[in-house]
């Protein structure tokens, strides 16, 4: 039996005419945890004096200069979407003014093109996380991996007009990639 844990988030909204109204929504506990982590990271970077938070891709925010070792950068990313909670996450990130990178699956992007557009319109970066997250198929050989990367790239391009320049391998590259994968990826546009 599967049990979905929920937690309550209360949000107070100041209304100049009516005083304070209280709005309550229910979110799964894991999404609440992720949002709290994002907010904590944001607060940490602010308190630590980090002034330039840059996006990993597709940003118009300048990155810290290479000769200034004083600045730190924190990257917040989400994998495997877009999904049922992406809109809620985007709303929270927007409210808190936190940039993020969304590593999306091509099949999910096809199902939710409006969320892909919202991610880009909200100023977040989109990264490629392959097409279907099927490890056995994906890591059978490099050609299959590359096919899924290109397939997802075309889906994202069709929705946004942008080609992602970031790739994140599902499950990470450790244990899935050998040196030939890295060598072939560096070549770029592989047929």
């Amino acid at each position: 039996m599967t049990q979905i844990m929920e937690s309550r988030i209360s949000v107070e909204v100041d209304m100049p005419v009516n005083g304070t109204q209280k709005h309550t929504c229910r979110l799964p506990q894991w999404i609440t945890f992720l949002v709290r982590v994002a907010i904590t990271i944001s607060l940490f970077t602010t308190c630590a004096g980090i002034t330039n938070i840059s996006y990993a891709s597709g940003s118009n925010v300048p990155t810290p200069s290479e000769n200034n070792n004083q600045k730190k950068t924190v990257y917040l990313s989400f994998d495997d979407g877009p999904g049922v909670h992406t809109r809620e996450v985007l709303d929270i990130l927007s409210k808190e003014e936190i940039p993020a990178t969304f590593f999306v699956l091509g099949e999910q992007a096809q199902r939710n093109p409006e969320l892909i557009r919202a991610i880009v319109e909200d100023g977040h970066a989109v990264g490629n996380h392959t097409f279907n997250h099927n490890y056995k198929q994906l890591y059978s050989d490099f050609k299959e991996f590359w096919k899924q990367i290109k397939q997802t790239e075309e889906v994202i391009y069709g929705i946004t007009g942008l080609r992602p320049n970031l790739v994140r391998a599902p499950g990470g590259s450790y244990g899935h990639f050998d040196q030939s994968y890295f060598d072939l990826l560096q070549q770029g546009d592989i047929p």
Side-chain angles (χ1 to χ4, degrees), residues 122-145:
D122 286 359
H124 302 290
V126 175
N128 190 326
H129 199 45
T130 72
F131 191 78
N132 67 13
H133 220 290
N134 179 327
Y135 284 36
K136 185 175 178 164
Q137 179 185 23
L138 185 62
Y139 296 119
S140 62
D141 68 5
F142 183 80
K143 285 183 182 180
E144 178 60 31
F145 178 81

PDB file of all heavy atoms in Angstrom, residues 122-145:
ATOM      1  N   ASP A 122      10.149  32.072 -17.579  1.00  0.00           N
ATOM      2  CA  ASP A 122      10.479  32.515 -16.223  1.00  0.00           C
ATOM      3  C   ASP A 122      11.978  32.754 -16.034  1.00  0.00           C
ATOM      4  O   ASP A 122      12.418  33.109 -14.946  1.00  0.00           O
ATOM      5  CB  ASP A 122       9.987  31.499 -15.187  1.00  0.00           C
ATOM      6  CG  ASP A 122       8.482  31.524 -14.996  1.00  0.00           C
ATOM      7  OD1 ASP A 122       7.795  32.340 -15.646  1.00  0.00           O
ATOM      8  OD2 ASP A 122       7.975  30.721 -14.176  1.00  0.00           O
ATOM      9  N   GLY A 123      12.769  32.538 -17.087  1.00  0.00           N
ATOM     10  CA  GLY A 123      14.196  32.836 -17.027  1.00  0.00           C
ATOM     11  C   GLY A 123      15.072  31.711 -16.533  1.00  0.00           C
ATOM     12  O   GLY A 123      16.254  31.911 -16.253  1.00  0.00           O
ATOM     13  N   HIS A 124      14.523  30.510 -16.442  1.00  0.00           N
ATOM     14  CA  HIS A 124      15.317  29.364 -16.000  1.00  0.00           C
ATOM     15  C   HIS A 124      15.986  28.699 -17.194  1.00  0.00           C
ATOM     16  O   HIS A 124      15.570  28.878 -18.332  1.00  0.00           O
ATOM     17  CB  HIS A 124      14.428  28.355 -15.268  1.00  0.00           C
ATOM     18  CG  HIS A 124      13.718  28.933 -14.093  1.00  0.00           C
ATOM     19  ND1 HIS A 124      14.365  29.298 -12.937  1.00  0.00           N
ATOM     20  CD2 HIS A 124      12.406  29.238 -13.908  1.00  0.00           C
ATOM     21  CE1 HIS A 124      13.484  29.790 -12.080  1.00  0.00           C
ATOM     22  NE2 HIS A 124      12.285  29.775 -12.652  1.00  0.00           N
ATOM     23  N   ALA A 125      17.013  27.908 -16.920  1.00  0.00           N
ATOM     24  CA  ALA A 125      17.711  27.174 -17.964  1.00  0.00           C
ATOM     25  C   ALA A 125      17.065  25.805 -18.144  1.00  0.00           C
ATOM     26  O   ALA A 125      16.519  25.231 -17.200  1.00  0.00           O
ATOM     27  CB  ALA A 125      19.178  27.010 -17.590  1.00  0.00           C
ATOM     28  N   VAL A 126      17.149  25.294 -19.366  1.00  0.00           N
ATOM     29  CA  VAL A 126      16.655  23.951 -19.682  1.00  0.00           C
ATOM     30  C   VAL A 126      17.844  23.110 -20.105  1.00  0.00           C
ATOM     31  O   VAL A 126      18.618  23.512 -20.982  1.00  0.00           O
ATOM     32  CB  VAL A 126      15.606  23.987 -20.813  1.00  0.00           C
ATOM     33  CG1 VAL A 126      15.198  22.573 -21.220  1.00  0.00           C
ATOM     34  CG2 VAL A 126      14.391  24.791 -20.400  1.00  0.00           C
ATOM     35  N   GLY A 127      17.991  21.960 -19.466  1.00  0.00           N
ATOM     36  CA  GLY A 127      19.043  21.012 -19.817  1.00  0.00           C
ATOM     37  C   GLY A 127      18.434  19.725 -20.343  1.00  0.00           C
ATOM     38  O   GLY A 127      17.266  19.424 -20.104  1.00  0.00           O
ATOM     39  N   ASN A 128      19.232  18.961 -21.044  1.00  0.00           N
ATOM     40  CA  ASN A 128      18.819  17.714 -21.682  1.00  0.00           C
ATOM     41  C   ASN A 128      19.103  16.549 -20.735  1.00  0.00           C
ATOM     42  O   ASN A 128      20.224  16.376 -20.275  1.00  0.00           O
ATOM     43  CB  ASN A 128      19.611  17.568 -22.988  1.00  0.00           C
ATOM     44  CG  ASN A 128      19.118  16.456 -23.872  1.00  0.00           C
ATOM     45  OD1 ASN A 128      18.659  15.428 -23.404  1.00  0.00           O
ATOM     46  ND2 ASN A 128      19.253  16.668 -25.173  1.00  0.00           N
ATOM     47  N   HIS A 129      18.071  15.736 -20.455  1.00  0.00           N
ATOM     48  CA  HIS A 129      18.214  14.597 -19.534  1.00  0.00           C
ATOM     49  C   HIS A 129      17.845  13.295 -20.243  1.00  0.00           C
ATOM     50  O   HIS A 129      17.378  12.362 -19.619  1.00  0.00           O
ATOM     51  CB  HIS A 129      17.333  14.841 -18.306  1.00  0.00           C
ATOM     52  CG  HIS A 129      17.692  14.026 -17.102  1.00  0.00           C
ATOM     53  ND1 HIS A 129      18.979  13.849 -16.660  1.00  0.00           N
ATOM     54  CD2 HIS A 129      16.910  13.343 -16.230  1.00  0.00           C
ATOM     55  CE1 HIS A 129      18.979  13.102 -15.565  1.00  0.00           C
ATOM     56  NE2 HIS A 129      17.731  12.774 -15.291  1.00  0.00           N
ATOM     57  N   THR A 130      18.025  13.253 -21.548  1.00  0.00           N
ATOM     58  CA  THR A 130      17.695  12.157 -22.455  1.00  0.00           C
ATOM     59  C   THR A 130      16.186  12.074 -22.678  1.00  0.00           C
ATOM     60  O   THR A 130      15.439  12.914 -22.180  1.00  0.00           O
ATOM     61  CB  THR A 130      18.264  10.785 -22.017  1.00  0.00           C
ATOM     62  OG1 THR A 130      17.569  10.295 -20.885  1.00  0.00           O
ATOM     63  CG2 THR A 130      19.762  10.872 -21.774  1.00  0.00           C
ATOM     64  N   PHE A 131      15.769  11.072 -23.438  1.00  0.00           N
ATOM     65  CA  PHE A 131      14.366  11.026 -23.829  1.00  0.00           C
ATOM     66  C   PHE A 131      13.487  10.272 -22.843  1.00  0.00           C
ATOM     67  O   PHE A 131      12.422  10.739 -22.468  1.00  0.00           O
ATOM     68  CB  PHE A 131      14.204  10.417 -25.229  1.00  0.00           C
ATOM     69  CG  PHE A 131      12.821  10.598 -25.775  1.00  0.00           C
ATOM     70  CD1 PHE A 131      12.431  11.811 -26.305  1.00  0.00           C
ATOM     71  CD2 PHE A 131      11.902   9.570 -25.730  1.00  0.00           C
ATOM     72  CE1 PHE A 131      11.142  12.006 -26.789  1.00  0.00           C
ATOM     73  CE2 PHE A 131      10.614   9.743 -26.212  1.00  0.00           C
ATOM     74  CZ  PHE A 131      10.242  10.967 -26.742  1.00  0.00           C
ATOM     75  N   ASN A 132      13.922   9.083 -22.387  1.00  0.00           N
ATOM     76  CA  ASN A 132      12.978   8.270 -21.614  1.00  0.00           C
ATOM     77  C   ASN A 132      13.481   7.710 -20.290  1.00  0.00           C
ATOM     78  O   ASN A 132      12.735   7.032 -19.602  1.00  0.00           O
ATOM     79  CB  ASN A 132      12.449   7.118 -22.471  1.00  0.00           C
ATOM     80  CG  ASN A 132      13.521   6.113 -22.823  1.00  0.00           C
ATOM     81  OD1 ASN A 132      14.611   6.106 -22.269  1.00  0.00           O
ATOM     82  ND2 ASN A 132      13.212   5.254 -23.784  1.00  0.00           N
ATOM     83  N   HIS A 133      14.733   7.925 -19.936  1.00  0.00           N
ATOM     84  CA  HIS A 133      15.248   7.490 -18.628  1.00  0.00           C
ATOM     85  C   HIS A 133      15.261   5.975 -18.481  1.00  0.00           C
ATOM     86  O   HIS A 133      15.328   5.447 -17.379  1.00  0.00           O
ATOM     87  CB  HIS A 133      14.416   8.127 -17.506  1.00  0.00           C
ATOM     88  CG  HIS A 133      15.215   8.589 -16.329  1.00  0.00           C
ATOM     89  ND1 HIS A 133      15.833   7.747 -15.454  1.00  0.00           N
ATOM     90  CD2 HIS A 133      15.490   9.831 -15.877  1.00  0.00           C
ATOM     91  CE1 HIS A 133      16.437   8.441 -14.509  1.00  0.00           C
ATOM     92  NE2 HIS A 133      16.255   9.719 -14.750  1.00  0.00           N
ATOM     93  N   ASN A 134      15.188   5.243 -19.578  1.00  0.00           N
ATOM     94  CA  ASN A 134      15.246   3.783 -19.543  1.00  0.00           C
ATOM     95  C   ASN A 134      16.721   3.380 -19.557  1.00  0.00           C
ATOM     96  O   ASN A 134      17.351   3.370 -20.605  1.00  0.00           O
ATOM     97  CB  ASN A 134      14.496   3.201 -20.745  1.00  0.00           C
ATOM     98  CG  ASN A 134      14.532   1.684 -20.793  1.00  0.00           C
ATOM     99  OD1 ASN A 134      15.496   1.056 -20.379  1.00  0.00           O
ATOM    100  ND2 ASN A 134      13.463   1.111 -21.317  1.00  0.00           N
ATOM    101  N   TYR A 135      17.271   3.026 -18.401  1.00  0.00           N
ATOM    102  CA  TYR A 135      18.700   2.767 -18.253  1.00  0.00           C
ATOM    103  C   TYR A 135      19.181   1.658 -19.180  1.00  0.00           C
ATOM    104  O   TYR A 135      20.230   1.778 -19.809  1.00  0.00           O
ATOM    105  CB  TYR A 135      19.039   2.380 -16.823  1.00  0.00           C
ATOM    106  CG  TYR A 135      19.068   3.510 -15.837  1.00  0.00           C
ATOM    107  CD1 TYR A 135      18.188   4.569 -15.907  1.00  0.00           C
ATOM    108  CD2 TYR A 135      19.985   3.504 -14.798  1.00  0.00           C
ATOM    109  CE1 TYR A 135      18.208   5.589 -14.997  1.00  0.00           C
ATOM    110  CE2 TYR A 135      20.027   4.526 -13.868  1.00  0.00           C
ATOM    111  CZ  TYR A 135      19.128   5.564 -13.973  1.00  0.00           C
ATOM    112  OH  TYR A 135      19.158   6.580 -13.057  1.00  0.00           O
ATOM    113  N   LYS A 136      18.434   0.534 -19.233  1.00  0.00           N
ATOM    114  CA  LYS A 136      18.879  -0.601 -20.045  1.00  0.00           C
ATOM    115  C   LYS A 136      19.018  -0.192 -21.507  1.00  0.00           C
ATOM    116  O   LYS A 136      20.011  -0.498 -22.158  1.00  0.00           O
ATOM    117  CB  LYS A 136      17.903  -1.765 -19.892  1.00  0.00           C
ATOM    118  CG  LYS A 136      18.354  -3.006 -20.601  1.00  0.00           C
ATOM    119  CD  LYS A 136      17.442  -4.176 -20.327  1.00  0.00           C
ATOM    120  CE  LYS A 136      17.945  -5.367 -21.129  1.00  0.00           C
ATOM    121  NZ  LYS A 136      17.410  -6.600 -20.687  1.00  0.00           N
ATOM    122  N   GLN A 137      18.038   0.511 -22.006  1.00  0.00           N
ATOM    123  CA  GLN A 137      18.075   0.980 -23.389  1.00  0.00           C
ATOM    124  C   GLN A 137      19.122   2.090 -23.551  1.00  0.00           C
ATOM    125  O   GLN A 137      19.942   2.056 -24.462  1.00  0.00           O
ATOM    126  CB  GLN A 137      16.687   1.478 -23.776  1.00  0.00           C
ATOM    127  CG  GLN A 137      16.571   2.011 -25.171  1.00  0.00           C
ATOM    128  CD  GLN A 137      15.188   2.589 -25.435  1.00  0.00           C
ATOM    129  OE1 GLN A 137      14.484   2.969 -24.510  1.00  0.00           O
ATOM    130  NE2 GLN A 137      14.810   2.653 -26.695  1.00  0.00           N
ATOM    131  N   LEU A 138      19.096   3.038 -22.658  1.00  0.00           N
ATOM    132  CA  LEU A 138      19.929   4.231 -22.749  1.00  0.00           C
ATOM    133  C   LEU A 138      21.420   3.916 -22.729  1.00  0.00           C
ATOM    134  O   LEU A 138      22.207   4.507 -23.465  1.00  0.00           O
ATOM    135  CB  LEU A 138      19.573   5.159 -21.588  1.00  0.00           C
ATOM    136  CG  LEU A 138      20.221   6.510 -21.516  1.00  0.00           C
ATOM    137  CD1 LEU A 138      19.856   7.341 -22.728  1.00  0.00           C
ATOM    138  CD2 LEU A 138      19.761   7.221 -20.256  1.00  0.00           C
ATOM    139  N   TYR A 139      21.831   2.994 -21.880  1.00  0.00           N
ATOM    140  CA  TYR A 139      23.249   2.697 -21.728  1.00  0.00           C
ATOM    141  C   TYR A 139      23.664   1.407 -22.425  1.00  0.00           C
ATOM    142  O   TYR A 139      24.718   0.850 -22.136  1.00  0.00           O
ATOM    143  CB  TYR A 139      23.622   2.670 -20.249  1.00  0.00           C
ATOM    144  CG  TYR A 139      23.429   4.021 -19.596  1.00  0.00           C
ATOM    145  CD1 TYR A 139      22.537   4.200 -18.544  1.00  0.00           C
ATOM    146  CD2 TYR A 139      24.116   5.133 -20.061  1.00  0.00           C
ATOM    147  CE1 TYR A 139      22.354   5.450 -17.965  1.00  0.00           C
ATOM    148  CE2 TYR A 139      23.934   6.386 -19.498  1.00  0.00           C
ATOM    149  CZ  TYR A 139      23.053   6.526 -18.454  1.00  0.00           C
ATOM    150  OH  TYR A 139      22.869   7.769 -17.890  1.00  0.00           O
ATOM    151  N   SER A 140      22.858   0.950 -23.394  1.00  0.00           N
ATOM    152  CA  SER A 140      23.239  -0.242 -24.159  1.00  0.00           C
ATOM    153  C   SER A 140      24.458   0.045 -25.037  1.00  0.00           C
ATOM    154  O   SER A 140      25.309  -0.805 -25.213  1.00  0.00           O
ATOM    155  CB  SER A 140      22.066  -0.745 -25.006  1.00  0.00           C
ATOM    156  OG  SER A 140      21.670   0.242 -25.953  1.00  0.00           O
ATOM    157  N   ASP A 141      24.531   1.252 -25.590  1.00  0.00           N
ATOM    158  CA  ASP A 141      25.718   1.708 -26.310  1.00  0.00           C
ATOM    159  C   ASP A 141      25.607   3.219 -26.524  1.00  0.00           C
ATOM    160  O   ASP A 141      24.558   3.820 -26.318  1.00  0.00           O
ATOM    161  CB  ASP A 141      25.939   0.965 -27.629  1.00  0.00           C
ATOM    162  CG  ASP A 141      24.886   1.253 -28.696  1.00  0.00           C
ATOM    163  OD1 ASP A 141      24.001   2.104 -28.478  1.00  0.00           O
ATOM    164  OD2 ASP A 141      24.955   0.624 -29.754  1.00  0.00           O
ATOM    165  N   PHE A 142      26.717   3.815 -26.945  1.00  0.00           N
ATOM    166  CA  PHE A 142      26.742   5.260 -27.078  1.00  0.00           C
ATOM    167  C   PHE A 142      25.766   5.761 -28.132  1.00  0.00           C
ATOM    168  O   PHE A 142      25.173   6.830 -27.978  1.00  0.00           O
ATOM    169  CB  PHE A 142      28.159   5.777 -27.396  1.00  0.00           C
ATOM    170  CG  PHE A 142      28.209   7.277 -27.462  1.00  0.00           C
ATOM    171  CD1 PHE A 142      28.280   8.026 -26.292  1.00  0.00           C
ATOM    172  CD2 PHE A 142      28.141   7.942 -28.675  1.00  0.00           C
ATOM    173  CE1 PHE A 142      28.294   9.410 -26.331  1.00  0.00           C
ATOM    174  CE2 PHE A 142      28.159   9.328 -28.731  1.00  0.00           C
ATOM    175  CZ  PHE A 142      28.238  10.060 -27.548  1.00  0.00           C
ATOM    176  N   LYS A 143      25.590   5.012 -29.217  1.00  0.00           N
ATOM    177  CA  LYS A 143      24.676   5.442 -30.276  1.00  0.00           C
ATOM    178  C   LYS A 143      23.264   5.640 -29.734  1.00  0.00           C
ATOM    179  O   LYS A 143      22.577   6.586 -30.117  1.00  0.00           O
ATOM    180  CB  LYS A 143      24.667   4.441 -31.434  1.00  0.00           C
ATOM    181  CG  LYS A 143      25.893   4.521 -32.300  1.00  0.00           C
ATOM    182  CD  LYS A 143      25.784   3.561 -33.469  1.00  0.00           C
ATOM    183  CE  LYS A 143      27.055   3.636 -34.300  1.00  0.00           C
ATOM    184  NZ  LYS A 143      27.006   2.728 -35.443  1.00  0.00           N
ATOM    185  N   GLU A 144      22.816   4.747 -28.872  1.00  0.00           N
ATOM    186  CA  GLU A 144      21.470   4.887 -28.284  1.00  0.00           C
ATOM    187  C   GLU A 144      21.414   6.107 -27.372  1.00  0.00           C
ATOM    188  O   GLU A 144      20.450   6.875 -27.401  1.00  0.00           O
ATOM    189  CB  GLU A 144      21.083   3.636 -27.499  1.00  0.00           C
ATOM    190  CG  GLU A 144      19.734   3.725 -26.822  1.00  0.00           C
ATOM    191  CD  GLU A 144      18.569   3.952 -27.781  1.00  0.00           C
ATOM    192  OE1 GLU A 144      18.615   3.497 -28.936  1.00  0.00           O
ATOM    193  OE2 GLU A 144      17.577   4.595 -27.358  1.00  0.00           O
ATOM    194  N   PHE A 145      22.439   6.292 -26.567  1.00  0.00           N
ATOM    195  CA  PHE A 145      22.497   7.461 -25.694  1.00  0.00           C
ATOM    196  C   PHE A 145      22.431   8.735 -26.537  1.00  0.00           C
ATOM    197  O   PHE A 145      21.636   9.642 -26.268  1.00  0.00           O
ATOM    198  CB  PHE A 145      23.783   7.423 -24.856  1.00  0.00           C
ATOM    199  CG  PHE A 145      23.954   8.613 -23.954  1.00  0.00           C
ATOM    200  CD1 PHE A 145      23.303   8.661 -22.736  1.00  0.00           C
ATOM    201  CD2 PHE A 145      24.759   9.682 -24.328  1.00  0.00           C
ATOM    202  CE1 PHE A 145      23.452   9.764 -21.895  1.00  0.00           C
ATOM    203  CE2 PHE A 145      24.914  10.789 -23.500  1.00  0.00           C
ATOM    204  CZ  PHE A 145      24.261  10.822 -22.273  1.00  0.00           C
TER     205      PHE A 145
END
